[in-house]
Amino acid sequence: MKITYFGHNSFSIEIKGKNILIDPFISGSPLVNGKINILDLKADYILLTHAHQDHTLDAEAIAKNTGAVIVSNFEIATHYENKGITVHPMNHGGSWEFGFGKVKYVNAIHTSSFPDGSYGGQPGGFVIEGEHKNIYIAGDTALTLDMKLIPLRTKLDLAILPIGDNFTMGIDDAIIASNFVECDKILGCHFDTFGYIEIDHEEAKRKFYKAGKDLMLLEVGESIEL
Ligand code: NI
Ligand code: MN
């Protein structure tokens, strides 16, 4: 499993030869700053955690360019289906076997409206049980006790957690979240994109290290192999 970071909550995950794109916010991202052309991106599936623009901005263009299937909650899936895009609707607590792995849509505490104010369903995160490795993508969320449910079903190898504070968990709550999901390997996201969510990288890594955890912070375009 190869994971590439495109800034904010945007990732590409390669599993079994399939490209799964998470929350594509690339063309308008100050972190990307024009360094990535969205038309160069490969995608078989696009997973959207919620409807906010900093998670969905490029979903339509990439889906139309690649023919990727958009996977999200029922309301978001319907929004894109009405634009002629192939979708797979899910809702909280439900799982589906997609061939590259099993995907579960799980709870997140946040909001979820489209830029025009229309309803984007309830926000969520994803648990992906891929080939040999399992990952949790929290999406935008507060720390929540519901995270304790995840390890009851899935032994995680990696948790992708927001750490930027203000709109989501900050570093200290994300450390507690990593305990709740019983995972020591954390990939940080949703930081440094805007002034509200700038973090001190060294302090963040030090705090996770003191808690017995490994926090990885990637540069835009950087990949890790799981
Ligand atoms: Ni959001
Ligand atoms: Mn966000």
Side-chain angles (χ1 to χ4, degrees), residues 8-9 50 52 54-55 110 140 167-168 190 194:
H8 209 51
N9 201 48
H50 65 294
H52 286 160
D54 62 315
H55 297 255
H110 193 67
D140 284 7
F167 298 116
T168 67
H190 217 274
F194 320 112

Side-chain angles (χ1 to χ4, degrees), residues 76-213:
I76 293 172
T78 303
H79 171 91
Y80 287 104
E81 188 175 38
N82 290 339
K83 293 172 180 284
I85 292 166
T86 308
V87 302
H88 182 107
M90 299 186 75
N91 223 321
H92 300 87
S95 302
W96 186 261
E97 177 55 66
F98 282 92
F100 63 84
K102 195 167 127 189
V103 176
K104 186 173 191 177
Y105 194 59
V106 297
N107 293 347
I109 295 192
H110 193 67
T111 55
S112 177
S113 50
F114 285 99
D116 67 357
S118 62
Y119 181 54
Q122 296 293 305
F126 294 100
V127 174
I128 302 176
E129 296 186 354
E131 199 181 27
H132 315 305
K133 300 286 180 187
N134 302 324
I135 65 173
Y136 169 48
I137 299 156
D140 284 7
T141 184
L143 176 65
T144 160
L145 283 168
D146 287 343
M147 291 168 177
K148 288 190 172 189
L149 299 173
I150 291 167
L152 297 182
R153 295 294 305 275
T154 306
K155 172 93 186 74
L156 294 174
D157 297 288
L158 179 76
I160 301 179
L161 303 178
I163 56 171
D165 219 332
N166 192 71
F167 298 116
T168 67
M169 297 187 284
I171 292 156
D172 296 320
D173 278 353
I175 290 170
I176 297 171
S178 66
N179 288 324
F180 283 0
V181 300
E182 298 177 14
C183 187
D184 294 338
K185 200 169 185 176
I186 313 303
L187 185 51
C189 68
H190 217 274
F191 63 93
D192 286 358
T193 322
F194 320 112
Y196 290 123
I197 60 175
E198 278 171 12
I199 64 159
D200 179 330
H201 292 208
E202 290 316 309
E203 185 192 13
K205 286 180 186 171
R206 198 163 49 238
K207 281 185 168 180
F208 272 87
Y209 183 77
K210 270 180 81 176
K213 313 273 182 185

